Amino acid sequence: MMEHAHTARRAADDAQRVRAAQYVRMSTDHQSYSIENQKDAIREFADAMNYDIVATYEDAGRSGLNLEGRAGLQRLLSDIETKIANFEIVIVYDVSRWGRFQNPDESASYEYRCRVAGVRIEYCGEQFANDGSIGSDLLKAIKRSMAAEQSRVLSVKVFAGQCRLIQMGYRQGGSSGLGLRRQLIDKHGRTKTTLALKEYKSLQTDRVILVPGPPDEIATVRWIYDQYVKARRTELQIARSLNAKGVVTDLNRSWKRESIHQILSNEKYVGNNVWNRESFKLKQRKVTNDITQLVRADGVFEPIVDRGLFERAQVIADARSSKMSSDQMLVVLAELLKRRGTLSGPIIDAASDCPPSSRYRKEFGSLLRAYKLVGYDPSQNYRFLDIRRRLREIFEEVIQTTIATIERAGGSAVRQSDLGVLRVNDEFTVSIAMGRCRNTPYGYPHWLAAPERCNAADVKVAIRMRPDNQTILDYLIAPANEIGGKPLNLVLNKRLPFNTFFFRSLDPLFALAERNAITAAP
């Protein structure tokens, strides 16, 4: 009897437990135990509050400065807003784990999106309850501002420290390059090892310097300088000669004009340590810095190229690049576009009559700016082509699956056009459209549907894709009169008024088309 009562109480407790998810984040891989420490604290909090942790969203080694690259937080927001989430609460260790966004309103906006979708955020490590009261909202605003300010202060300190290390002759990031190697030394200057590609130091007190690499690579670097300065060959000619010999770059790739240019212009080959050519502070916007902002220390590494030869190479490069005015550069770029039909950095670098892509970046601020000036829009290229191809494949697969399933159920489905309009059982029409997903700058999923394929169709079907546009999220299946002729984009994104028309599969459509045999009356 007592055992039965205990079991009943435990069942009642379990029934009252609230389903929750946890979100954890750490900034760098060096914070080895940060994730586990957060999970321990969240678990203790959940036990005390009678919560069940049913899902985990994690961003390991990710900065909290913005949403980009934080797949865990993006997936959390998407699951909540698309109603995939089967929990009522998200537990985060503290406000800074949610993010160190430089605009505190951005941090607040993500929490607000969760709350609107019916999911509450709780911070187990903070000394206030996130209950929507004036006091808690005020403390959160302060904490968000403090988290942002801490990142700004830390950024200034880190930058000052990096500048100091550069001036002391230590390497700060980047590959060594052909003919050089990154050597690891301890805090006393003793050599520890030579780092291979993608190997990094593990101790904060260790330092990295550049040293001469294998003799054959050094010989190749010196040969490039001799060909450029003494034989007066162009960067493109040198690249083609190396490729013909089967010589590869330090990254095991074929040579391009840009890779030759990098070797001919980089001061590390004469022993100089130069840093801060580009800035990407606080994950805001990458900028190319003025020459006055460079941080440098001359003669700190062992050179592998004679300084006089290096300086002559710079004079030749300046003379060659300065022969063209901005207008002339655009003329040859337009001619290249006419010949090739498209433009990219590698295409420009491979064209013997064009200045290198780096010159266009320097002259016009970016390649995109140069493209715009010659009337070229590159947005149609890159990964968009792969996504479009994948969407077409899924669209055709859905069409063929729909036809086959209806026919197996005893009905008929005839495709009236290649646009996805079906005539079902010779009774009604179905128009099928693809809803491609795009994320707004604030992380919102937003679906773009193709234009109306058949305004007179009786049933509208739209395939909503997940944010990666590789798999299907759900389907809109609605009678045309129920959505009132509204554009599909509006229906797909203003979900609440149309919730009853979203389904995980096409089963409702198949049920509508199914034929049932009618037996004769006795």
Side-chain angles (χ1 to χ4, degrees):
M1 188 72 174
M2 290 182 62
E3 182 179 350
H4 177 73
H6 176 72
T7 302
R9 282 197 304 271
R10 185 171 60 187
D13 289 342
D14 289 343
Q16 294 174 1
R17 291 178 73 86
V18 176
R19 298 171 68 83
Q22 59 180 341
Y23 174 73
V24 292
R25 181 187 66 80
M26 67 178 184
S27 300
T28 69
D29 294 330
H30 297 300
Q31 297 171 316
S32 306
Y33 303 105
S34 176
I35 291 288
E36 294 307 316
N37 290 343
Q38 291 174 53
K39 288 181 178 179
D40 287 344
I42 289 172
R43 184 165 49 250
E44 291 180 7
F45 177 80
D47 288 341
M49 299 296 292
N50 208 28
Y51 297 160
D52 271 337
I53 304 296
V54 299
T56 297
Y57 297 84
E58 180 176 315
D59 282 319
R62 294 297 179 183
S63 167
L65 291 168
N66 57 24
L67 194 63
E68 183 179 351
R70 293 172 65 181
L73 183 55
Q74 290 183 31
R75 186 163 54 89
L76 172 64
L77 295 171
S78 176
D79 287 355
I80 290 174
E81 293 182 321
T82 56
K83 304 301 181 182
I84 293 176
N86 62 343
F87 46 82
E88 304 168 40
I89 293 170
V90 176
I91 308 173
V92 188
Y93 180 70
D94 62 19
V95 171
S96 69
R97 294 305 90 199
W98 186 251
R100 296 184 182 276
F101 303 99
Q102 291 306 288
N103 185 341
D105 290 342
E106 182 178 358
S107 179
S109 72
Y110 300 137
E111 183 176 332
Y112 176 74
R113 286 166 54 183
C114 296
R115 188 163 67 248
V116 167
V119 175
R120 191 170 75 252
I121 307 298
E122 293 196 13
Y123 302 103
C124 69
E126 300 289 5
Q127 299 302 311
F128 61 86
N130 192 19
D131 54 7
S133 64
I134 294 176
S136 71
D137 287 347
L138 179 60
L139 284 171
K140 274 193 301 183
I142 294 172
K143 290 278 188 176
R144 287 168 182 151
S145 297
M146 289 173 60
E149 181 61 23
Q150 184 178 356
S151 292
R152 287 191 286 268
V153 171
L154 183 61
S155 175
V156 172
K157 291 181 178 179
V158 168
F159 181 76
Q162 288 174 314
C163 292
R164 175 63 177 162
L165 291 174
I166 287 293
Q167 292 164 344
M168 293 173 66
Y170 299 126
R171 182 80 170 170
Q172 292 294 299
S175 62
S176 58
L178 191 76
L180 296 170
R181 289 294 183 270
R182 293 176 302 138
Q183 189 174 87
L184 189 67
I185 60 176
D186 64 18
K187 61 182 179 180
H188 302 294
R190 295 186 293 251
T191 299
K192 296 183 69 173
T193 187
T194 298
L195 297 172
L197 187 65
K198 295 186 179 180
E199 285 186 348
Y200 307 97
K201 69 176 188 176
S202 58
L203 297 178
Q204 290 287 346
T205 54
D206 286 346
R207 299 289 176 246
V208 177
I209 61 172
L210 289 183
V211 295
D216 59 328
E217 292 187 13
I218 295 176
T220 298
V221 171
R222 290 172 176 170
W223 181 84
I224 290 172
Y225 274 88
D226 284 341
Q227 292 295 302
Y228 188 74
V229 175
K230 298 177 181 178
R232 293 295 176 133
R233 301 182 70 191
T234 66
E235 294 164 341
L236 184 60
Q237 289 172 333
I238 296 172
R240 288 172 174 169
S241 294
L242 289 172
N243 290 333
K245 295 178 181 179
V247 178
V248 295
T249 69
D250 57 307
L251 300 177
N252 201 32
R253 299 172 182 169
S254 59
W255 290 90
K256 299 179 181 179
R257 185 169 70 174
E258 185 68 12
S259 47
I260 297 294
H261 179 77
Q262 287 293 327
I263 287 181
L264 290 170
S265 60
N266 203 309
E267 294 184 49
K268 63 187 176 185
Y269 290 105
V270 292
N272 294 347
N273 198 15
V274 183
W275 184 69
N276 199 37
R277 290 187 174 90
E278 291 184 335
S279 294
F280 190 37
K281 293 180 179 178
L282 296 172
K283 305 289 184 181
Q284 297 300 300
R285 186 172 61 90
K286 184 177 287 187
V287 296
T288 300
N289 292 322
D290 185 77
I291 191 171
T292 58
Q293 295 178 280
L294 297 182
V295 182
R296 62 184 308 123
D298 294 343
V300 292
F301 304 137
E302 182 179 345
I304 64 172
V305 172
D306 177 74
R307 183 172 293 274
L309 190 64
F310 178 84
E311 291 174 351
R312 288 169 61 192
Q314 309 319 301
V315 171
I316 293 171
D318 289 342
R320 287 179 176 175
S321 62
S322 63
K323 289 180 180 179
M324 280 192 186
S325 66
S326 298
D327 291 339
Q328 289 172 325
M329 290 174 64
L330 292 175
V331 169
V332 297
L333 188 63
E335 292 173 350
L336 178 61
L337 174 61
K338 186 176 180 180
R339 291 198 307 270
R340 297 295 301 271
T342 185
L343 292 174
S344 68
I347 289 175
I348 295 172
D349 291 332
S352 58
D353 56 340
C354 260
S357 58
S358 58
R359 173 77 196 283
Y360 281 97
R361 292 188 185 94
K362 182 177 180 181
E363 188 73 21
F364 300 102
S366 70
L367 281 180
L368 290 178
R369 171 66 177 160
Y371 293 161
K372 184 177 181 180
L373 291 174
V374 297
Y376 174 61
D377 178 11
S379 61
Q380 58 186 331
N381 293 328
Y382 312 123
R383 61 187 297 266
F384 299 103
L385 297 178
D386 293 332
I387 291 176
R388 287 174 183 170
R389 189 179 303 112
R390 175 61 179 159
L391 293 177
R392 284 196 298 269
E393 291 173 355
I394 292 175
F395 179 74
E396 287 301 321
E397 182 180 330
V398 169
I399 293 287
Q400 297 305 321
T401 299
T402 300
I403 293 174
T405 304
I406 291 174
E407 290 178 346
R408 281 197 303 270
S412 66
V414 178
R415 190 168 184 174
Q416 294 188 324
S417 72
D418 60 356
L419 297 179
V421 179
L422 306 180
R423 179 75 179 173
V424 178
N425 295 335
D426 204 26
E427 294 174 348
F428 62 93
T429 54
V430 178
S431 67
I432 302 178
M434 177 63 72
R436 176 178 175 175
C437 184
R438 287 185 179 173
N439 279 329
T440 68
Y442 298 100
Y444 288 95
H446 179 78
W447 285 272
L448 301 175
E452 291 298 314
R453 301 199 180 272
C454 180
N455 290 326
D458 300 299
V459 178
K460 306 277 188 174
V461 175
I463 308 162
R464 285 209 316 182
M465 300 298 293
R466 293 184 184 276
D468 61 0
N469 284 301
Q470 299 298 308
T471 56
I472 296 173
L473 172 64
D474 57 17
Y475 301 88
L476 166 80
I477 306 173
N481 63 325
E482 291 290 344
I483 60 177
K486 293 181 174 60
L488 279 179
N489 282 344
L490 176 65
V491 179
L492 293 177
N493 290 289
K494 300 292 184 183
R495 174 166 176 156
L496 287 177
F498 307 102
N499 263 353
T500 55
F501 300 120
F502 287 93
F503 303 91
R504 294 292 181 196
S505 71
L506 290 172
D507 288 347
L509 176 64
F510 300 148
L512 183 65
E514 186 176 358
R515 291 289 195 181
N516 292 321
I518 300 177
T519 58

